[in-house]
Amino acid sequence: MIGRDLLGIEDLDRADIERILETAERMQEIGEREVKKVPTLRGRTIVNLFFEPSTRTKASFEIAGKRLSADVVNFTASSSSLSKHESILDTAKTLDAMDPDAVIVRHRVAGVPKRIADVLEAPVINAGDGAHEHPTQALLDMLTVYQEKGRIDGLTVAIIGDIAHSRVARSNVYGFSKLGAEVRVAGPPPMIPRDVATLGVKSYHSLREALDGADVVMALRIQLERSTGAHFPSVREYSSTFGLDRSKLRYAKDDAIVMHPGPVNRGVELSPELADRRPSVILDQVRNGVALRMAVLYLISGRPGPTAKEDA
Ligand code: NCD
């Protein structure tokens, strides 16, 4: 994957995904050491280019780069020349001229990471673009499920909530389907995308039916900032029909796990009590995110060193 862009799970095949997950499992060990740092990416530069707010994704990429000894530079829209109206592509090209080894991009408009990737020398990693894709989130979700369940093939994964506006849902639909899981989506009609059938998943408007027999229940944040507002149910109505709590979770398998990409609207998608305790694995997802992003950075920006070249 050296030098390749990572724009979406749609572009990956099963072997790519498995390779990333296996590499991430090896990276987890580094995070358990007393000194959580290895020299693997020493001398490499990684640029975080975030045009949209982010807590966990940005911090996770930064920590991942630092654990591999890369130099990580953070650009946020408000503190860079973007606030002086420099165009996105000009900003990206300026950063590219400084020779980074990977550029991580988040933007509220779908397709911006791809447009940036088209003009940059450096490989681009999509850290979330509009309602399109968020590949590293889906990869860390797959890693979490794999480690909880010992497999992904044959599992039933129910994704609940604002599917239409969720890049996390889209990337997870592609990812879990490619690894052989049955993926279901559920939510009120305006939150189910019109093209849902083309994604190859079953959609439900009843939480109970969607959860029946589910091994994994993934709740999503209601993306009020991406909705037009008009057709959305009230928050109260949403939480009474689709908000998860322990009693509704009984519809799923006894050993079902509960996931959420964060940030959680407590009491809306998840009851606070469920968010904080097993079977919820939300903090494991966050923890796994660092190892997963180390794997992605390593696979994409770790140029073969002298030994690798000598071997070739
Ligand atoms: C998600 C995002 O930004 O796409 N959060 C994340 O990256 N962990 C989900 C969200 O905003 O609801």
Side-chain angles (χ1 to χ4, degrees):
M1 298 185 82
I2 304 267
R4 252 172 76 179
D5 300 314
L6 175 59
L7 299 175
I9 303 289
E10 192 179 10
D11 314 324
L12 301 182
D13 58 28
R14 185 177 180 137
D16 293 325
I17 297 174
E18 285 172 350
R19 178 131 172 265
I20 297 170
L21 299 187
E22 280 159 23
T23 309
E25 286 200 295
R26 293 207 305 275
M27 294 296 178
Q28 279 175 323
E29 184 267 320
I30 297 167
E32 286 154 17
R33 295 184 194 172
E34 203 186 312
V35 178
K36 302 178 183 56
K37 208 174 181 77
V38 291
T40 315
L41 293 185
R42 204 173 56 198
R44 310 281 148 85
T45 306
I46 290 165
V47 173
N48 258 340
L49 189 52
F50 279 65
F51 299 99
E52 198 191 48
S54 166
T55 309
R56 61 212 88 209
T57 306
K58 193 163 119 204
S60 181
F61 268 113
E62 183 169 355
I63 293 170
K66 287 182 170 166
R67 284 195 181 165
L68 293 171
S69 302
D71 296 310
V72 183
V73 185
N74 289 310
F75 282 85
T76 40
S78 56
S79 62
S80 71
S81 285
L82 282 163
S83 54
K84 298 179 203 156
H85 306 294
E86 186 172 18
S87 83
I88 291 170
L89 290 182
D90 280 342
T91 303
K93 281 189 212 154
T94 303
L95 294 174
D96 204 37
M98 299 177 199
D99 253 346
D101 296 279
V103 177
I104 298 151
V105 179
R106 168 171 285 199
H107 198 281
R108 69 182 167 76
V109 177
V112 167
K114 163 92 173 82
R115 281 180 50 210
I116 292 179
D118 287 343
V119 299
L120 292 204
E121 284 288 319
V124 170
I125 300 170
N126 179 6
D129 60 331
H132 175 227
E133 282 231 38
H134 190 351
T136 56
Q137 177 69 42
L139 288 161
L140 73 88
D141 290 338
M142 290 184 262
L143 177 64
T144 305
V145 171
Y146 180 72
Q147 293 190 327
E148 282 286 329
K149 299 286 177 191
R151 66 186 171 115
I152 290 180
D153 220 332
L155 295 181
T156 299
V157 178
I159 309 180
I160 314 298
D162 190 358
I163 313 296
H165 298 91
S166 174
R167 52 199 178 203
V168 176
R170 201 163 273 272
S171 291
N172 269 315
V173 163
Y174 291 130
F176 280 101
S177 307
K178 285 180 193 218
L179 295 189
E182 176 194 321
V183 185
R184 303 170 176 176
V185 299
M191 294 187 185
I192 302 293
R194 272 183 236 126
D195 67 344
V196 71
T198 62
L199 294 172
V201 298
K202 293 188 202 152
S203 67
Y204 298 80
H205 298 307
S206 145
L207 183 69
R208 187 176 195 142
E209 285 169 28
L211 295 193
D212 184 35
D215 301 280
V216 175
V217 183
M218 186 183 294
L220 300 174
R221 185 174 66 87
I222 303 195
Q223 308 262 310
L224 289 170
E225 77 274 26
R226 288 192 226 291
S227 73
T228 50
H231 304 293
F232 266 53
S234 71
V235 167
R236 199 148 157 212
E237 193 185 329
Y238 180 84
S239 76
S240 73
T241 42
F242 287 97
L244 280 173
D245 56 20
R246 255 172 231 278
S247 83
K248 292 192 197 117
L249 190 62
R250 281 199 222 107
Y251 305 142
K253 276 195 184 158
D254 290 345
D255 62 351
I257 55 167
V258 175
M259 307 176 77
H260 192 298
V264 177
N265 292 312
R266 282 168 179 268
V268 181
E269 307 101 30
L270 283 183
S271 68
E273 183 264 337
L274 189 54
D276 293 330
R277 244 165 297 152
R278 298 252 349 155
S280 139
V281 295
I282 297 172
L283 292 180
D284 297 298
Q285 291 172 263
V286 175
R287 196 169 300 113
N288 289 341
V290 175
L292 188 282
R293 292 180 173 112
M294 287 168 77
V296 165
L297 292 175
Y298 166 71
L299 289 170
I300 286 178
S301 64
R303 279 185 230 116
T307 22
K309 272 193 194 148
E310 279 158 23
D311 288 349

